[in-house]
Amino acid sequence: VVGSKDSPEQTENNEIYYVFNQKLLQLCDQVPKIPKRASMVHTLIEAYDLLDHVTPVSPEFATKDELLTFHSQEYIEFLERVNLEEDSEKDEELKQQFGLGYDCPSLPLVYDFVRLVAGASLSCAKALIQQKCRIAINWNGGWHHARRDEAAGFCYVNDIVLAILKLKEHFNRVLYVDLDLHHGDAVDDAFIFTPKVMTVSLHKFSPGFFPGTGSLNRVGGGRGKFYTISVPLKDGIKDEQYSDLFTRVIEQVRVKFQPSVVVVQCGADTLSSDPMQSFNLTPLGVGQCVSRVLSWKLPTLLLGGGGYNMANTARCWSYLTGLVLGQKLPSEIPDHEFFLEYGPGYQLEVCPAHYTNYNTVEYMETVAKAITKNLENVR
Ligand SMILES: CN(c1ccc(C(=O)NO)cc1)S(=O)(=O)c1ccc(-c2ccccn2)s1
Ligand SMILES: [Zn+2]
């Protein structure tokens, strides 16, 4: 069955593309804020025997031209130049200019890292375009804060914008869903003026909380007005309230926008006992949102993102991989290289913490009503 730009028929192909290779894991393991997370995620997925049911694909490096479809020449050529340098005092002020400072320390082989992370998400986008699969997964992608000409918020390259720009060449309407704790600001900004890409971001919105954008009245501009949806939330939200609101919003988005392809950033810093100590979700809550989107049977790209409790992030993305495969995973964490990280319970489930929930019923109603009102302007 051949889809078309406007109304892609359901691809007969039920393959699940899972993109990784050892080089990508090794480079991602070195990102200071998430040490060894890439390997923990991958080896847990492997330990649950999920790799037997996906099509594992080794990503290409993104070409320089592909990076330049979003990032500036200055930024990319700077990364190319510092790639092999030791962390020298040289270029110190240039590093600051390009965001390589405290939040995004300069990585060894940062250019290789950037090209392979971007290449992995682009490989997924190309596979969806070529209908080699209906669902593609890159748990080492989802870097939603990287800007055109600077690293930001632990993000060095915006693989999401690059993948959406590629998808946009073949799909008429791209829906971007950002489930990370933080507002997907740089992805919003990249598509804020176009009605071809609708971005929906659920995030913590609170004075002084990074990145500070994503208020309820952030709706986009120009021809893209009302094609940006911000869902600002408070600390302490739990699975049921989160997925109920998500469902109310996203089903309206589906009817009004009628996406032909969906990209979901599944940042796991929303889970209880993440060092960000903000939301109180479990993988079940994140899974309810992802399931809702998967039920539409559209070509779908799943990406990683934040998540600073490494074991819980691995639990969450293993659970989501199982969900995609229609497989319920056994609670006992299987023996594998990082088994001891899952103590003391060695269970797949994440228990909610006892945080105060500041999202009152009234607040949630206000948010839902404002978004419904904005969506009346779409279509
Ligand atoms: C740079 N910051 C970001 C940016 C992006 C993220 C993110 O996960 N985005 O998705 C998280 C923190 S930040 O200023 O809020 C922080 C830096 C270090 C932080 C931290 C470190 C340890 C425990 C709790 N918080 S927050
Ligand atoms: Zn985050």
Side-chain angles (χ1 to χ4, degrees):
V1 181
V2 180
S4 73
K5 193 161 161 71
D6 284 312
S7 57
E9 301 307 318
Q10 310 313 345
T11 49
E12 292 309 303
N13 191 334
N14 285 323
E15 305 260 322
I16 314 289
Y17 246 52
Y18 173 89
V19 72
F20 87 100
N21 65 24
Q22 290 310 324
K23 183 77 186 158
L24 179 62
L25 297 181
Q26 176 200 340
L27 287 166
C28 294
D29 279 349
Q30 293 176 353
V31 177
K33 306 290 182 185
I34 46 171
K36 304 291 280 175
R37 192 186 77 174
S39 287
M40 284 180 67
V41 170
H42 177 72
T43 48
L44 186 59
I45 287 170
E46 194 176 38
Y48 270 117
D49 294 329
L50 295 175
L51 291 187
D52 306 339
H53 306 278
V54 296
T55 306
V57 174
S58 178
E60 312 275 317
F61 279 90
T63 64
K64 185 172 177 179
D65 281 347
E66 284 173 326
L67 297 177
L68 295 174
T69 60
F70 174 61
H71 291 291
S72 71
Q73 184 125 7
E74 298 78 15
Y75 179 54
I76 294 305
E77 289 181 351
F78 173 73
L79 294 182
E80 201 171 10
R81 181 151 55 81
V82 298
N83 189 61
L84 298 172
E85 252 168 41
E86 287 310 306
D87 196 0
S88 66
E89 292 318 302
K90 224 155 54 85
D91 294 326
E92 214 30 62
E93 67 290 345
L94 260 180
K95 281 181 181 170
Q96 297 297 337
Q97 177 197 328
F98 290 112
L100 297 187
Y102 169 69
D103 293 345
C104 301
S106 44
L107 298 176
L109 300 178
V110 62
Y111 188 57
D112 295 354
F113 168 74
V114 154
R115 286 194 304 144
L116 201 46
V117 162
S121 293
L122 282 166
S123 297
C124 291
K126 291 169 188 169
L128 291 169
I129 288 164
Q130 293 155 16
Q131 300 193 9
K132 289 181 182 167
C133 61
R134 187 170 67 74
I135 299 170
I137 299 174
N138 176 21
W139 294 131
N140 294 297
W143 304 106
H144 56 176
H145 298 306
R147 315 205 68 81
R148 174 178 178 278
D149 49 10
E150 71 171 306
F154 308 159
C155 305
Y156 296 80
V157 60
N158 203 311
D159 63 293
I160 307 171
V161 172
L162 294 172
I164 291 174
L165 287 170
K166 174 58 71 182
L167 289 168
K168 221 166 135 271
E169 292 169 11
H170 298 265
F171 291 98
N172 211 11
R173 290 175 305 286
V174 183
L175 172 61
Y176 173 64
V177 176
D178 191 305
L179 301 179
D180 195 280
L181 175 66
H182 300 84
H183 174 227
D185 55 347
V187 185
D188 259 23
D189 287 345
F191 301 108
I192 200 146
F193 295 122
T194 174
K196 297 286 186 191
V197 178
M198 178 168 275
T199 57
V200 181
S201 176
L202 286 74
H203 48 266
K204 173 174 172 175
F205 185 71
S206 159
F209 187 74
F210 187 96
T213 49
S215 63
L216 198 50
N217 54 32
R218 179 187 170 95
V219 295
R223 293 202 326 207
K225 190 167 184 186
F226 304 114
Y227 287 81
T228 295
I229 297 177
S230 306
V231 187
L233 300 168
K234 304 296 178 196
D235 278 345
I237 195 164
K238 296 182 75 172
D239 287 345
E240 188 181 357
Q241 199 180 30
Y242 184 92
S243 57
D244 285 354
L245 179 65
F246 177 81
T247 302
R248 274 178 75 175
V249 168
I250 214 70
E251 282 305 334
Q252 293 178 66
V253 164
R254 180 194 185 190
V255 168
K256 297 278 184 171
F257 183 59
Q258 300 194 1
S260 31
V261 63
V262 192
V263 178
V264 189
Q265 197 268 21
C266 306
D269 41 10
T270 53
L271 298 180
S272 69
S273 66
D274 189 276
M276 295 293 156
Q277 297 222 324
S278 297
F279 287 1
N280 197 8
L281 301 188
T282 77
L284 295 177
V286 180
Q288 282 167 326
C289 301
V290 172
S291 288
R292 170 66 56 172
V293 170
L294 293 175
S295 71
W296 303 344
K297 304 286 183 209
L298 289 171
T300 305
L301 170 54
L302 299 182
L303 300 170
Y308 306 97
N309 177 318
M310 311 305 156
N312 280 356
T313 301
R315 287 181 167 102
C316 186
W317 295 345
S318 296
Y319 172 74
L320 291 179
T321 307
L323 199 84
V324 165
L325 291 165
Q327 292 213 15
K328 178 156 174 37
L329 304 183
S331 288
E332 298 73 45
I333 297 288
D335 190 17
H336 69 295
E337 181 184 349
F338 297 99
F339 180 75
L340 294 176
E341 301 292 326
Y342 297 86
Y346 303 98
Q347 301 269 312
L348 178 64
E349 291 70 24
V350 173
C351 301
H354 298 289
Y355 296 162
T356 310
N357 180 10
Y358 293 92
N359 298 278
T360 61
V361 171
E362 296 71 25
Y363 176 73
M364 299 299 272
E365 213 38 53
T366 307
V367 170
K369 283 195 167 53
I371 289 167
T372 299
K373 193 166 169 356
N374 289 335
L375 276 170
E376 280 159 16
N377 298 284
V378 172
R379 278 198 85 80

